[in-house]
Amino acid sequence: MNLYEFEGKQLFITHGIVTPCSVVVRRGDDVTTAYASLGVVDVVVKAQVLSGKRGKNNGIRFCATLEEVQSAVDDLFSLQIRDQYVAAVLIEEKLQIAREHYLSITYNTTTKQPMVVYSTKGGMDIEEVEENEIRKTNIEILNPSVPVDIPYVQELWKCFFSEDARVVEINPLIQTADGRFIAADAKVALDDDAFYRHPQWEQYEPRTMLGRLPTEREIEAKKIDEGEAYYRGTAGKYIELDGDIAMILNGGGASIANMDALIQAGLSPANYTEYSGNPPREKVYQLAKVVLSKPGIKGLWMCGNVANFTNVKETFLGIIDALDEIKPTYPIVVRRDGPESAEGFALLEECAQRNHLNIKMFKKDVGMSETAGVLAQMIQS
Amino acid sequence: MSILISQNTKVLVQGMTGKEGAKGAKAMSDYGTSVLCGVTPGKGGQEVDGKPVYNSVGEAMTVFPDINTSVIYVPPFAAKAAILEAIENNISLINVFVERIPIADTAYCLAAAKEKGIRILGPSSLGCVVPGVARLGVMGGPQVQEIFTPGSIGVISRSGGMSNELSWQLTKQGLGQSTTVHVGGDLLMGTTYADLLRLFEADEQTKAVMIYGEHGGSYEFEIVDLIQNKEYTKPLAIYIGGKFVSAFPEGMNIGHAGAIVERGKGAAEKEAALHSVGVRIAQRYEDLVTLVQ
């Protein structure tokens, strides 16, 4: 989960990193009170979005009067920044900047250990800084030795490790005219797989990077994998897209290949969804209900590889429960194989007959991509 | 010959009393792999499928000193302790089936394994199959006999399902597999493509290798270095999934955790770098079978 700047800064403060005085404003909040609460004249007004490059995309405004602040807040709430929904606006004291540094910690996939990246050339154009002006330090997680000569690196390491982050970044890390260091921005990505040891993460509001608020269906689907049995199979992945082909895919890998395959077949996905890891019938049922609830669907593609350990019968029963309720009239193509697939397909066949479904079913003798073409033909005819 | 496992593989199953653990133990035994025993803390004295269960890895090793491989099926919050226990007992190959292990725990375990020269396959790995000889984990499921046949192609996959699909396509073409390995889809991989290509290079049975890769991470770039240094010289075909993902914003996580869209490390950049050292690039994963011949 990616955090908004103001959420990241709250974590920074917990770990002893100084951030500017600030106040968070939501849609409809009273800007006058918020601005007055800071007790300063010159402020920076910043859109709260999940992607970077705000500065270059008109997401940061400098203001010196209440009128300017009010108009900046109104304007930012009316915009999308790099296609991202503006969830809130942060009003912050303007700093007296002497220098801008860059500091981050993330996992290096070559060493498979955390890595500190630091440069004294921070700010908006960090991507263009020369390699020799960037200092990279690997941290041995078994016996962490964190550089001592980089401002806030100890604090940031504590934040990274104890908060189970995948990325923490301060850019710019400001050095003020009087020599103090202040984190002027915060980019934090938390490790979703560690949520069980951070119950406080539940307070974070729902979010998506798709340039809008999460849809009702996305919020509904996410709940499927929450709770005690969160690791017993994955069935909570639903990203709503613009197309009209409902997708119920299987496997993290195959599902990605099959999204490509559907588009190559000239069709357009209504969603990205996959279930895998042998989820129980109930989870699959809930997921199928979410996927099939989208209006305007012209076809359903349920496509999965030959399963290793996901029980095809058990998971198909979840799908069948949903089909029995919804009784779709649009074409359906199914391709799947694996444990108890003969039983699973027999049950699906019975479901198709009692609900008069327009359905074609394939096992492993037909390739996955090929069946996307079959669906395209069924829709045309 | 084969890589990673052989007739001499002697397996311990950590978490054997759980549903997936019991299934894994049975899948391995059914395929002729020697499963000696299991470990579940607090459940010592029980039996699963006729195999004894012990409270600790140390206890199991005392009774079965031949154990050289552990396959781990425990919930994610118990994974770190289980992996470290196997490492402390010097088990040389550890296959971690567990999905959704916090990345910090994975980094910790990989570092601990590296210190002792222990190989971890995974996390989130369904294991590997040496057709007709042995398998680790549940790869192939109940259809393993149909899907896998002995042959000359090495298969490496980030995706468990695609390990099966690709092996099945090779079997249909009459090519067969030398070893099929599922490296797992996490951002941090215990055993990488490059690690396996070194093993396949040394394996006489393997004439060529195919890889099902994903966007995200820098693992494909290690292959480029390996080929440039002539440490891998056999034909290699690769498919990198996730072209549609490039339409999503940076940092958005879909599919496997490892498939985080990173700027400059997307499918297109990887393909260009691999193509420049002679790797055959498949546009559809189905083309891998043709390209590898």
Side-chain angles (χ1 to χ4, degrees), chain A residues 107 109 112-113 191 193 197 209 237 253 256 259-260 272 278 305-306 308-309 335 337-338 364 368-369, chain B residues 23 100 103 105 107 126 140-141 143 146 160-161 164-165 168 189 212 218 242-244 249-250 255 285-286:
Chain A
Y107 285 95
T109 58
K112 301 164 202 167
Q113 295 292 295
D191 179 6
D193 294 334
R197 52 194 185 203
M209 291 190 65
K237 279 193 197 155
I256 290 177
M259 289 297 279
D260 290 346
Y272 166 78
N278 200 21
N305 47 259
V306 182
N308 292 284
F309 71 107
R335 194 280 193 186
D337 216 322
K364 72 174 184 306
M368 291 190 288
S369 311
Chain B
K23 218 196 279 183
R100 306 199 63 180
I103 192 169
D105 292 4
L126 298 187
Q143 288 160 302
E146 243 180 285
N164 257 2
E165 282 295 326
W168 165 242
M189 286 154 76
Y212 179 90
S218 55
K243 289 175 187 71
F244 103 95
E250 284 160 32
Y285 74 87
E286 285 101 332

Side-chain angles (χ1 to χ4, degrees), chain A residues 100-300:
Chain A
E100 294 187 318
H101 296 217
Y102 172 93
L103 178 62
S104 70
I105 305 177
T106 185
Y107 285 95
N108 173 352
T109 58
T110 305
T111 60
K112 301 164 202 167
Q113 295 292 295
M115 176 185 254
V116 173
V117 179
Y118 174 64
S119 174
T120 54
K121 300 274 166 72
M124 279 213 294
D125 296 315
I126 185 66
E127 283 91 345
E128 276 127 55
V129 173
E130 298 286 328
E131 272 297 300
N132 62 13
E133 294 195 277
I134 294 178
R135 180 172 151 197
K136 295 178 179 172
T137 315
N138 276 309
I139 300 196
E140 298 294 329
I141 205 164
L142 285 182
N143 188 11
S145 156
V146 182
V148 290
D149 55 344
I150 297 173
Y152 282 144
V153 72
Q154 306 288 339
E155 289 85 352
L156 195 64
W157 166 252
K158 266 192 290 168
C159 178
F160 178 82
F161 193 66
S162 66
E163 303 292 346
D164 272 305
R166 291 175 75 112
V167 181
V168 289
E169 183 187 80
I170 309 175
N171 186 35
L173 172 58
I174 300 275
Q175 189 172 18
T176 59
D178 56 1
R180 293 174 302 136
F181 281 97
I182 299 177
D185 196 0
K187 209 171 281 170
V188 175
L190 300 174
D191 179 6
D192 290 328
D193 294 334
F195 80 91
Y196 68 85
R197 52 194 185 203
H198 300 276
Q200 71 278 17
W201 289 0
E202 277 179 31
Q203 74 191 7
Y204 289 122
E205 64 202 67
R207 64 203 60 207
T208 164
M209 291 190 65
L210 287 167
R212 50 168 170 73
L213 286 171
T215 66
E216 272 172 42
R217 275 176 278 275
E218 285 168 349
I219 293 170
E220 202 55 38
K222 195 164 171 286
K223 288 183 195 152
I224 298 170
D225 282 339
E226 288 171 356
E228 283 288 291
Y230 76 91
Y231 58 88
R232 297 205 188 279
T234 301
K237 279 193 197 155
Y238 179 89
I239 299 172
E240 199 156 327
L241 304 169
D242 291 335
D244 50 18
I245 305 299
M247 309 282 276
I248 301 180
L249 305 174
N250 303 111
S255 65
I256 290 177
N258 285 330
M259 289 297 279
D260 290 346
L262 187 92
I263 293 163
Q264 278 169 15
L267 298 176
S268 175
N271 63 289
Y272 166 78
T273 282
E274 64 105 0
Y275 68 82
S276 51
N278 200 21
R281 172 179 183 167
E282 180 61 22
K283 276 194 177 189
V284 178
Y285 162 68
Q286 289 170 11
L287 179 66
K289 287 256 288 182
V290 169
V291 171
L292 299 179
S293 71
K294 193 179 176 214
I297 292 175
K298 295 215 170 79
L300 166 62

Side-chain angles (χ1 to χ4, degrees), chain B residues 131-170:
Chain B
V133 177
R135 73 164 149 176
L136 280 193
V138 291
M139 191 189 290
Q143 288 160 302
V144 62
Q145 299 287 0
E146 243 180 285
I147 294 168
F148 292 88
T149 45
S152 59
I153 310 297
V155 180
I156 305 172
S157 173
R158 279 285 251 171
S159 151
M162 294 308 294
S163 311
N164 257 2
E165 282 295 326
L166 294 172
S167 299
W168 165 242
Q169 285 174 18
L170 287 169

